[in-house]
Amino acid sequence: DAKTTQPTSMDCAEGRAANLPCNHSTISGNEYVYWYRQIHSQGPQYIIHGLKNNETNEMASLIITEDRKSSTLILPHATLRDTAVYYCIVSVIKAAGNKLTFGGGTRVLVKP
Amino acid sequence: DTAVSQTPKYLVTQMGNDKSIKCEQNLGHDTMYWYKQDSKKFLKIMFSYNNKELIINETVPNRFSPKSPDKAHLNLHINSLELGDSAVYFCASSQSSRVRREQFFGPGTRLTVL
């Protein structure tokens, strides 16, 4: 079962930042926070992941609270192509075969 | 250019038939996965192979049998198809030596059992 809680849906204005929250209050010390997204009719796409430090890449920023019980994915300048379902996942990084457990995700609609 | 490819994209078949879905990745990854996305859109892992060895086997009916002929391929064979097998099946791959361990997903195969 998924160990994360996310809002079911949210809207965002094109060009504005989108802040997607995720609660993972039962996260273990060796579990990473991963974010994936699924654009309609496509396979999921990796966005970013982190353990305890904030992370940034070309797609997004990930802010993890100090107690690691929640995190926020930030899309700095949302575009219409960012409309998708965003999944927050906690997972241990194993030697091989990371098991990703997807929950319901947040359906993000970017509006013009 | 395609990283993870699946064939076929759509599969419509009758109950009781046997069918296979093929997956190939050209990323040089050593780990491959099968996921199932049901009508409620929940994605669940089914199997994972690392260097052709089965390492994850979730609670999946024995009618589902994955086969990995080499590191670049992971096929899924389904016997005696049932209505409840209707779903979108996604293949994915990852490289165990990469720190991020991110998984790259294929476009999916939509299976409809009539």
Side-chain angles (χ1 to χ4, degrees), chain A residues 39-80:
Chain A
I39 295 170
H40 181 62
S41 295
Q42 297 182 21
Q45 175 191 24
Y46 167 86
I47 301 173
I48 198 167
H49 82 294
L51 183 63
K52 52 185 177 181
N53 296 325
N54 297 338
E55 302 287 345
T56 296
N57 63 19
E58 65 280 2
M59 288 182 71
S61 294
L62 174 60
I63 309 296
I64 302 175
T65 57
E66 195 166 340
D67 63 7
R68 303 211 321 124
K69 292 185 177 182
S70 65
S71 61
T72 301
L73 178 75
I74 301 173
L75 306 177
H77 305 287
T79 70
L80 299 180

Side-chain angles (χ1 to χ4, degrees), chain B residues 4-87:
Chain B
V4 182
S5 59
Q6 298 179 226
T7 53
K9 188 169 176 61
Y10 300 96
L11 185 53
V12 181
T13 188
Q14 300 286 333
M15 250 189 340
N17 284 350
D18 303 338
K19 290 294 178 185
S20 292
I21 306 172
K22 295 185 176 182
C23 177
E24 177 181 4
Q25 54 93 6
N26 63 3
L27 298 166
H29 289 169
D30 59 4
T31 307
M32 296 184 73
Y33 311 78
W34 276 111
Y35 287 82
K36 177 182 180 181
Q37 188 166 39
D38 59 24
S39 57
K40 295 182 180 178
K41 302 297 184 182
F42 285 105
L43 262 162
K44 291 184 180 178
I45 191 167
M46 301 173 70
F47 303 102
S48 177
Y49 272 73
N50 174 255
N51 287 317
K52 303 191 334 179
E53 183 180 342
L54 181 66
I55 54 171
I56 294 176
N57 186 354
E58 292 295 287
T59 308
V60 176
N62 291 337
R63 299 181 294 104
F64 290 79
S65 53
K67 283 188 173 49
S68 181
D70 55 59
K71 286 197 305 182
H73 296 84
L74 181 61
N75 303 324
L76 184 65
H77 188 75
I78 315 171
N79 288 329
S80 304
L81 278 156
E82 300 177 357
L83 294 177
D85 297 332
S86 295

